[in-house]
């Protein structure tokens, strides 16, 4: 239904008031079963959860009003994350602690809000993301040796899909391996990759590794730990 | 849990992994060790289809409202997932606990359409459970089935232990409680089945012996032990008081219908002679409008849905429709919720109603005249006239619509080529009506979509005696209609009829078809309702190997007095009434709807308020 005539937000006075409302940033984690839910489906899930929780979210004013909502750095299907950021505009002031509680009650159990705050920095400031990448395998020593060999090449060329087709790209300078840990089910690498406008997902590296070195990896588990801005500070 | 880790190894390689992980809002988690009965509600089709089904939502909520029972959801994995599961030796599991199906006490399937039957075999097999009921010993993994197709479940008797006829809100709980007692007291499966057969609506096929005549028709159906000679369907006496869920599981992924649903009534006053639902859900029982409003609001609040759908067989026949819409429209505007009204009738589609519908729908309108000529519409007792169709289209066109979609059936009893041409003539006249209308949208041309499906005769309808047109005749009719169209404004849609043939075989099939189904499934037939996975040739092979034919089940005209495979099942409507309706159909005589005049179908006897009329 076209709600434009009935949108309670849709008065001149209200619009002026809401224009003065700052954007709110919701940090949440998405783990467990939820990693198999695509970004588009998460968007719908968030809308319904906000509605269930009764959060006064501002709706866009077009012919087909919808909740105003943006995601700072959409997460790929299959990734888990502890630091997802969703920006909203509210129509009235709310207590962030209470909003967090209400929202957590309304969300599916694998999506948990950790923090709500006013938006400090634009998503355009995002430059890097920190990931834990676990290569699930039996022959850990050998896989680690091959992986170290693989990432120490002078260049690592992946064929990246773009809107205009495919083009080769050297991701060597875009990935920084920070730590390596042997864990129960395999090897866990902590890595920082380029993120934001130019985005390098860790699977670009690991998929190529599996393909080129022909190694037997059962699964690649990826957890996004942190997002950084171009000045090196944590994105908030 | 082990399965979860294994799933991580391949779930990203299958389409729509969200189908297989559960975890949705309002899904229910219990401690498996603290419940007495674990119930797997299995929908024999994909997640997207199954999650759209209202009956499952009702029974999932109902079963889980009992502390002693944990009901989980199971759907048929799509073929890519099935392949991965078989490769990795992963059994079919419940979406809530990830426990294998063989850990469950009761495995319940819903029978919504005949072409989903083979998926039941495949799902049992994928669980490592023997598909044959007689090979499953003990109480564990008891396979039960309910839903509309249980009005003739005979083709499935080799695989299913218990069928639940009719409406399950009350007798399913009675059955589960009996099962719980049986489990606590260590009954044998045989004892449980015999005791269960005394519950209204519970049909235990192994307690009935079927003999056949030389010509292949049923000779006699004999009840064994203490099972009743006829099994009467279960029925809800008061729709306003019966259980309805306060919330629905909200899927993450897009499903066919992803919205709040309120069921405004059960049953239908119309008596269209082709429509099985119109007979097996009799008599009409409406829900109180206040109850509906509060149920709809509760669902929106607990789900966050942006749409409420009013569900029934014919929503414009609901006596409280105006009040209900007024209240729900107020609510929906306030809360940014859309209202959707499927199943509106063409003859009481008023301007007022259109105004209300227009607020909630932007797409085209769909009407179902079902047949092209008045004679044919009288045969099927559709009880609408050409004037009704025209006035509805006129209202729609003047209201700004430029396209209408019309549904028809092909292969109805007594149908001639003129009746088929009548469908196209009708569409042509609607194009003409639009062109001559002054108040239509200027500068836009009209589109009339004619969608034609193949009629399948069903049990418990007046057409249960009728032999379906053979494939050749149907195709001839389809081609003739296609050639008969002259206007470019008419889009003609028809469907390959082979699936309708198989549907006709199973709809009125007998017990011997269990073997056919088993053989066809072994040959790779399942997901038969998905065109890309339908292998008619394999089905014909399977029939032939069992010495059976399509002609016998689908195309053969039955004589009055023939014992049907479902003769021992009682859905309220009497055979005498159906026979009267069949004779009237052959004379093109209509029957008034239940509100105008009671036609004595017999369904009123199902109600506790005896003797009275079903509707005011």
């Amino acid at each position: 239904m076209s709600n434009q005539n009935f949108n309670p937000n849709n008065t001149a006075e209200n619009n002026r008031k809401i224009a003065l409302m700052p954007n709110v940033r919701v940090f949440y984690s998405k783990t467990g079963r939820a990693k198999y839910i695509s970004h588009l489906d998460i968007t719908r899930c968030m809308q319904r959860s906000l509605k269930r929780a009764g959060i006064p979210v501002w709706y866009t004013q077009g012919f087909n009003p919808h909740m105003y909502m943006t995601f700072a750095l959409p997460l790929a299907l299959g990734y888990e994350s502890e630091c997802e950021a969703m920006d909203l505009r509210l129509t009235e002031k709310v207590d962030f602690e209470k909003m967090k509680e209400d929202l957590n009650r309304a969300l599916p159990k694998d999506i948990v809000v950790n923090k709500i705050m006013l938006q400090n920095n634009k998503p355009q400031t995002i430059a890097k993301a920190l990931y834990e990448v676990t290569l699930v395998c039996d022959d850990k020593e050998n896989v680690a040796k091959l992986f170290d060999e693989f990432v120490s090449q002078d260049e690592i060329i992946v064929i990246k899909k773009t809107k205009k087709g495919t083009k080769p790209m050297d991701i060597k300078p875009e990935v920084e391996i920070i730590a390596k840990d042997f864990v129960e089910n395999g090897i866990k690498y902590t890595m920082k990759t380029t993120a934001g406008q130019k985005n390098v997902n860790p699977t670009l590296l690991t998929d190529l590794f599996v393909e080129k070195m022909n190694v037997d990896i059962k699964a690649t588990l990826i957890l996004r730990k942190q997002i950084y801005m171009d000045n090196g500070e944590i994105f908030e | 849990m082990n399965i979860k880790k294994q799933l991580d190894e391949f779930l990203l390689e299958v389409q729509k992994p969200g189908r297989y992980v559960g975890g949705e809002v309002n899904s229910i988690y219990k401690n498996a060790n603290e419940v007495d009965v674990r119930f797997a509600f299995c929908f024999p089709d994909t997640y997207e289809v199954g999650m759209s089904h209202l009956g499952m939502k009702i029974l999932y909520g109902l079963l889980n409202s009992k502390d002693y029972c944990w009901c989980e959801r199971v759907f048929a994995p799509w073929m890519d997932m099935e392949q991965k599961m078989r490769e990795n030796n992963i059994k079919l599991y419940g979406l809530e606990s990830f426990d294998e199906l063989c850990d469950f006490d009761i495995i319940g399937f819903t029978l919504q359409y005949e072409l989903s039957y083979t998926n039941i075999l495949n799902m049992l097999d994928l669980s490592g459970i023997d598909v044959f009921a007689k090979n499953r010993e003990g109480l564990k993994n008891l396979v039960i089935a309910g839903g509309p197709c249980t009005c003739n479940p005979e083709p499935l008797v080799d695989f299913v232990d218990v069928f639940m006829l009719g409406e399950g809100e009350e007798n399913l709980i009675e059955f589960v409680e009996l099962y719980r007692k049986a489990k606590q007291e260590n009954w044998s499966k045989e004892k449980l089945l015999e005791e269960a057969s005394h519950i209204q609506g519970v049909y235990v096929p192994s307690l009935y012996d079927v003999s056949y005549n030389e010509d292949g028709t049923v000779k006699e159906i004999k009840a064994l032990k203490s099972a009743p000679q006829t099994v009467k369907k279960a029925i809800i006496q008061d729709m306003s008081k019966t259980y309805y869920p306060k919330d629905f599981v909200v899927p993450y992924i897009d499903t066919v219908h992803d919205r709040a649903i309120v069921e405004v009534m059960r049953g239908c006053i119309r008596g269209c002679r082709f429509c099985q639902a119109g007979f097996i859900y009799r008599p009409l029982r409406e829900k109180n409008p206040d109850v509906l409003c509060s149920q709809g609001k509760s669902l929106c609040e607990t789900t966050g849905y942006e749409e409420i759908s009013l569900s029934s067989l014919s929503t414009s026949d609901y006596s409280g429709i105006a009040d209900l819409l007024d209240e729900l429209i107020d609510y929906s505007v306030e809360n940014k919720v859309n209202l959707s009204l499927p199943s509106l009738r063409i003859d009481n589609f008023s301007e007022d109603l259109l105004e209300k519908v227009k607020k909630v729908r932007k797409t085209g309108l769909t009407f179902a005249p079902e047949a092209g000529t008045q004679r044919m519409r009288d045969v099927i007792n559709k009880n609408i006239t050409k004037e009704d169709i025209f006035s509805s289209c006129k209202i729609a066109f003047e209201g700004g619509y430029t396209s209408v979609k019309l549904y028809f059936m092909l292969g109805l009893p007594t149908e001639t080529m003129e009746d088929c041409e009548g469908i196209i003539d009708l569409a042509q006249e609607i194009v003409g009506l639009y062109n001559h209308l002054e108040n239509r949208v200027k500068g836009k041309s009209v589109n009339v979509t004619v969608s034609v499906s193949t009629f399948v005769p069903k049990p418990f309808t007046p057409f249960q005696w009728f032999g379906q047109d053979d494939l050749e005749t149907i195709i001839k009719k389809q081609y003739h209609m296609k050639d008969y169209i002259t206007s470019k404004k008419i889009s003609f849609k028809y469907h390959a009829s082979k699936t309708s043939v198989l549907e006709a075989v199973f709809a009125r099939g007998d017990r011997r078809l269990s073997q056919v189904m088993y053989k066809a499934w072994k040959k790779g037939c399942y997901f038969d309702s998905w065109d890309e996975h339908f292998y008619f040739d394999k089905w014909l092979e399977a029939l032939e190997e069992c010495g059976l034919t399509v002609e016998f089940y689908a195309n053969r005209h039955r004589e009055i007095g023939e014992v049907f495979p479902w003769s021992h099942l009682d859905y309220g409507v009497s055979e005498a009434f159906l026979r009267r309706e069949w004779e009237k159909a052959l004379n093109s005589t209509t029957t008034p709807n239940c509100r105008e005049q009671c036609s004595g179908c017999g369904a009123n006897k199902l109600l506790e308020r005896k003797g009275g009329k079903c509707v005011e």
Side-chain angles (χ1 to χ4, degrees):
Chain A
M1 182 192 319
S2 161
N3 281 312
Q4 56 180 349
N5 302 328
F6 316 106
N7 193 330
N9 301 330
N10 198 5
T11 66
E13 194 201 347
N14 248 331
N15 280 342
R16 269 194 303 278
K17 242 166 43 190
I18 291 157
L20 296 173
M21 295 281 294
N23 279 3
V24 166
R25 182 160 289 161
V26 177
F27 283 99
Y28 64 93
S29 56
K30 176 195 176 202
T31 57
R33 309 183 195 208
K35 75 173 171 180
Y36 292 110
I37 307 307
S38 69
H39 178 66
L40 195 70
D41 291 337
I42 288 292
T43 309
R44 188 176 42 229
C45 166
M46 280 297 178
Q47 286 164 359
R48 287 174 179 165
S49 300
L50 287 160
K51 203 164 172 152
R52 276 193 299 274
I55 312 292
V57 183
W58 181 71
Y59 280 66
T60 60
Q61 306 291 295
F63 181 73
N64 195 2
H66 56 273
M67 278 187 194
Y68 173 78
M69 177 187 266
T70 59
F71 292 79
L73 191 61
L75 194 68
L77 186 70
Y79 285 30
E80 292 177 285
S81 172
E82 293 175 351
C83 55
E84 291 306 282
M86 167 178 75
D87 294 348
L88 301 169
R89 193 173 297 166
L90 304 180
T91 58
E92 54 192 81
K93 280 193 174 158
V94 300
D95 177 78
F96 288 157
E97 202 48 42
K98 182 173 183 301
M99 176 173 162
K100 181 180 133 180
E101 279 169 27
D102 290 346
L103 204 45
N104 276 336
R105 256 196 305 276
L107 281 164
K109 60 192 175 73
D110 292 329
I111 298 174
V112 178
V113 174
N114 305 314
K115 188 164 68 173
I116 300 177
M117 55 192 291
L118 292 178
Q119 176 189 320
N120 279 337
N121 301 288
K122 294 246 180 279
Q124 288 79 359
T125 58
I126 292 172
K128 295 276 176 191
L130 184 74
Y131 296 94
E132 281 179 6
V133 178
T134 307
L135 301 173
V136 180
C137 57
D138 293 328
D139 189 5
K140 296 176 201 171
E141 295 292 339
N142 187 40
V143 171
K145 195 176 130 254
L146 289 171
F147 191 78
D148 294 345
E149 229 170 77
F150 180 74
V151 293
S152 59
Q153 301 172 86
D154 291 339
E155 51 174 27
I156 303 170
I157 308 291
V158 299
I159 307 298
K160 214 185 168 190
K161 275 183 209 142
T162 65
K163 277 171 195 156
K164 285 176 192 155
T166 55
K167 69 171 188 195
M169 174 175 131
D170 179 15
I171 56 166
K172 171 87 178 183
E174 321 292 347
V175 181
E176 180 193 348
I177 310 274
I178 291 170
K180 171 173 77 179
D181 297 288
F182 287 95
V183 290
E184 193 204 333
N185 55 345
I187 320 145
K188 185 177 82 186
Y189 289 96
T190 306
M191 57 179 85
K192 210 184 238 187
T193 67
T194 303
Q197 310 294 72
K198 182 183 182 187
N199 200 50
V200 174
N201 274 337
T203 26
L204 274 177
L205 181 74
T206 55
D207 287 353
L208 189 71
F209 165 64
V210 172
E211 187 196 320
K212 290 277 166 167
M213 308 298 270
N214 198 19
V215 281
D216 190 19
I217 303 288
K218 286 189 199 152
T220 308
L221 308 177
I222 299 177
L223 172 66
R224 186 190 273 166
K225 297 286 288 182
Q226 199 56 271
I227 300 174
Y228 297 100
M229 296 185 288
D230 39 19
N231 63 5
E233 285 176 23
I234 290 173
F235 173 74
E236 274 187 346
Chain B
M1 234 161 288
N2 211 8
I3 279 191
K4 271 194 204 170
K5 276 188 188 155
Q6 275 178 286
L7 289 177
D8 275 340
E9 293 175 15
F10 59 80
L11 217 42
L12 287 173
E13 292 164 37
V14 304
Q15 292 173 42
K16 304 187 193 173
R19 288 165 165 172
Y20 308 113
V21 293
E24 310 93 325
V25 161
N26 296 333
S27 48
I28 291 169
Y29 299 87
K30 297 189 182 185
N31 184 339
N33 300 319
E34 286 169 11
V35 296
D36 299 332
V37 181
R38 296 193 68 183
F39 193 110
F41 195 111
C42 305
F43 196 100
D45 210 317
T46 62
Y47 179 92
E48 297 93 302
V49 178
M51 281 301 288
S52 309
H53 176 234
L54 177 61
M56 179 178 212
K57 296 172 197 293
I58 295 175
L59 296 178
Y60 180 80
L62 174 71
L63 288 164
N64 280 318
S65 73
K66 307 290 173 191
D67 290 339
Y68 60 81
C69 180
W70 185 13
C71 174
E72 300 188 34
R73 296 160 299 141
V74 183
F75 302 92
W78 191 244
M79 282 161 255
D80 58 346
M81 179 64 174
E82 181 193 344
Q83 195 193 339
K84 292 280 178 197
M85 289 171 74
R86 291 197 191 268
E87 276 169 19
N88 291 278
N89 197 24
I90 289 180
K91 301 268 187 285
L92 196 58
Y93 53 88
L95 278 185
E96 281 76 5
S97 66
F98 281 103
D99 287 340
E100 295 178 349
L101 219 56
C102 55
D103 292 337
F104 286 76
D105 296 302
I106 302 176
I107 298 173
F109 285 95
T110 176
L111 310 180
Q112 295 297 313
Y113 26 88
E114 290 81 0
L115 297 188
S116 66
Y117 289 172
T118 43
N119 281 3
I120 296 175
L121 276 68
N122 207 49
M123 287 169 80
L124 288 174
D125 184 63
L126 199 49
S127 313
I129 296 171
D130 199 307
V131 298
F132 288 107
K134 64 176 192 308
N135 297 343
R136 295 190 299 264
E137 285 171 16
L139 298 179
K140 196 98 179 167
N141 299 158
L142 194 79
V143 177
I144 71 172
C149 291
T150 44
C151 72
N152 177 28
E154 293 302 289
L156 285 165
V157 294
D158 283 3
F159 318 111
V160 176
D161 296 301
V162 173
F163 292 101
M164 312 287 296
L165 313 188
E167 299 160 356
E169 282 101 331
E170 283 160 14
N171 82 334
L172 183 59
I173 293 303
E174 208 179 330
F175 176 79
V176 170
E177 275 170 6
L178 184 72
Y179 182 95
R180 184 187 185 202
K181 186 177 174 209
K183 197 177 162 187
Q184 279 160 353
E185 295 176 7
N186 260 323
W187 291 7
S188 68
K189 182 173 173 181
E190 289 66 35
K191 180 171 178 195
L192 169 68
L193 292 181
E194 194 178 344
E195 286 291 323
S197 75
H198 304 151
I199 299 174
Q200 182 174 344
V202 173
Y203 167 47
V204 178
S206 57
L207 293 178
Y208 295 81
D209 189 47
V210 181
S211 56
Y212 298 88
N213 295 310
E214 263 173 41
D215 62 3
T217 55
V218 173
K219 187 176 176 196
E220 196 187 6
I221 303 170
K222 242 197 269 181
L224 308 173
K225 297 185 188 166
S226 62
Q229 186 51 48
T230 54
V231 184
K232 197 196 272 183
K233 76 161 177 175
I235 188 165
I236 299 303
Q237 298 289 336
D238 186 343
M239 285 299 293
S240 298
K241 287 188 184 141
T242 193
Y243 175 85
Y244 199 74
K246 290 188 175 53
D247 58 30
F248 287 173
V249 174
V250 185
Y252 279 112
I253 69 167
D254 222 2
T255 58
V256 180
H257 298 301
D258 195 11
R259 57 195 185 190
I261 307 168
V262 289
E263 188 186 10
V264 297
M265 57 188 180
R266 229 171 254 179
C268 181
I269 57 171
R270 296 289 166 173
C272 301
R273 292 177 181 132
F274 56 87
C275 175
Q276 188 182 43
F279 294 99
I280 64 172
Y281 292 112
R282 284 186 178 214
L284 181 88
R285 285 145 298 145
E286 296 187 326
K287 236 186 220 187
N288 176 307
D290 295 335
V291 172
L292 286 169
C293 280
S294 83
Q295 288 175 345
K297 288 173 191 172
S298 157
L299 282 174
C300 286
E301 280 158 22
T302 56
T303 59
Y305 274 138
E306 304 86 11
E307 184 179 350
I308 306 181
S309 167
L310 304 187
S311 166
S312 79
L313 293 170
S314 177
T315 302
S316 43
D317 283 332
Y318 176 61
S319 57
I321 188 76
D323 292 345
L324 178 65
L325 280 182
D326 282 342
E327 192 173 341
L328 278 180
I329 284 174
D330 284 347
Y331 173 81
S332 68
V333 167
E334 228 169 87
N335 294 278
K336 303 187 182 68
V337 170
N338 298 342
L339 261 185
S340 91
L341 293 155
S343 310
L344 296 179
R345 264 183 78 85
I346 211 161
D347 54 348
N348 52 13
F349 184 84
S350 63
E351 260 169 276
D352 191 38
L353 194 56
L354 181 85
E355 270 313 302
K356 287 172 180 166
V357 178
K358 242 176 71 185
K359 282 187 187 164
V360 301
R361 258 207 300 218
K362 294 184 214 97
T363 48
L365 282 177
T366 304
F367 297 120
E370 313 288 4
T373 59
Q374 194 56 47
R375 187 195 70 81
M376 200 69 250
R377 284 193 296 273
D378 289 344
V379 169
I380 63 176
N381 202 39
K382 184 68 190 178
N383 280 321
I384 57 163
T385 62
K386 194 156 92 177
E387 287 65 42
D388 292 327
I389 301 168
F390 282 7
S391 80
S392 290
C393 289
K394 188 165 169 265
I395 291 170
F397 293 150
E398 288 179 336
Y401 288 91
T402 58
S403 72
V404 289
K405 195 172 179 184
L406 304 171
Y407 279 123
F408 297 94
M409 277 181 298
L410 210 57
L412 291 162
T414 75
E415 184 179 79
T416 64
M417 224 32 126
E418 285 78 55
D419 295 309
C420 300
E421 290 171 2
I423 292 174
I424 305 301
D425 290 338
L426 185 69
Q428 188 62 56
E429 283 184 70
I430 292 170
V431 172
L433 172 84
Y434 179 88
N435 289 339
H436 292 100
L437 213 58
E438 280 181 15
N439 298 332
R440 65 178 169 90
V441 181
K442 295 284 177 264
K444 270 198 165 178
S445 77
V446 70
N447 186 275
V448 179
T449 302
V450 173
S451 181
V452 176
S453 61
T454 305
F455 171 62
V456 179
K458 299 269 168 129
F460 294 104
T461 69
F463 294 163
Q464 61 182 351
W465 288 277
F466 174 69
Q468 190 187 38
D469 271 3
D470 60 30
L471 207 50
E472 211 176 306
T473 310
I474 289 290
I475 292 170
K476 211 163 81 189
K477 285 177 176 174
Q478 287 174 340
Y479 282 2
H480 181 76
M481 287 170 74
K482 215 172 144 189
D483 292 343
Y484 189 75
I485 298 170
T486 52
S487 168
K488 282 192 174 129
K489 308 279 193 285
I490 299 174
S491 332
F492 185 58
K493 286 185 180 163
Y494 60 98
H495 193 255
S497 319
K498 288 176 179 171
T499 46
S500 306
V501 173
L502 190 66
E503 200 183 318
V505 169
F506 281 117
R508 291 181 297 172
D510 56 37
R511 295 189 164 199
R512 296 173 299 175
L513 288 176
S514 276
Q515 274 307 312
V516 175
M517 203 183 307
Y518 180 74
K519 281 182 196 284
W521 168 66
K522 277 284 178 191
K523 290 173 193 289
C525 292
Y526 62 112
F527 276 120
D528 300 293
S529 60
W530 296 74
D531 279 348
E532 68 269 36
H533 206 252
F534 180 67
Y535 308 112
F536 194 53
D537 292 347
K538 291 183 185 176
W539 278 105
L540 294 180
E541 270 173 43
L543 276 160
E544 203 185 328
E545 285 168 26
C546 295
L548 300 169
T549 62
V550 165
E551 291 71 32
F552 178 81
Y553 292 105
N555 312 123
R556 182 174 61 89
H557 284 270
R558 275 75 166 163
E559 295 300 326
I560 298 288
E562 179 174 328
V563 179
F564 290 130
W566 57 91
S567 291
H568 54 318
L569 309 180
D570 175 8
Y571 271 71
V573 289
S574 70
E575 184 161 324
F577 162 73
L578 293 175
R579 203 165 56 220
R580 284 202 301 278
E581 283 294 300
W582 176 223
E583 280 154 11
K584 284 169 90 175
L586 295 176
N587 295 320
S588 316
T589 310
T590 60
T591 298
N593 74 51
C594 301
R595 282 209 181 101
E596 287 167 352
Q597 193 194 341
C598 174
S599 49
C601 72
N604 61 330
K605 295 197 189 78
L606 293 165
L607 295 180
E608 277 158 11
R609 42 187 166 104
K610 290 236 166 54
K613 283 196 296 184
C614 313
V615 293
E616 294 310 314

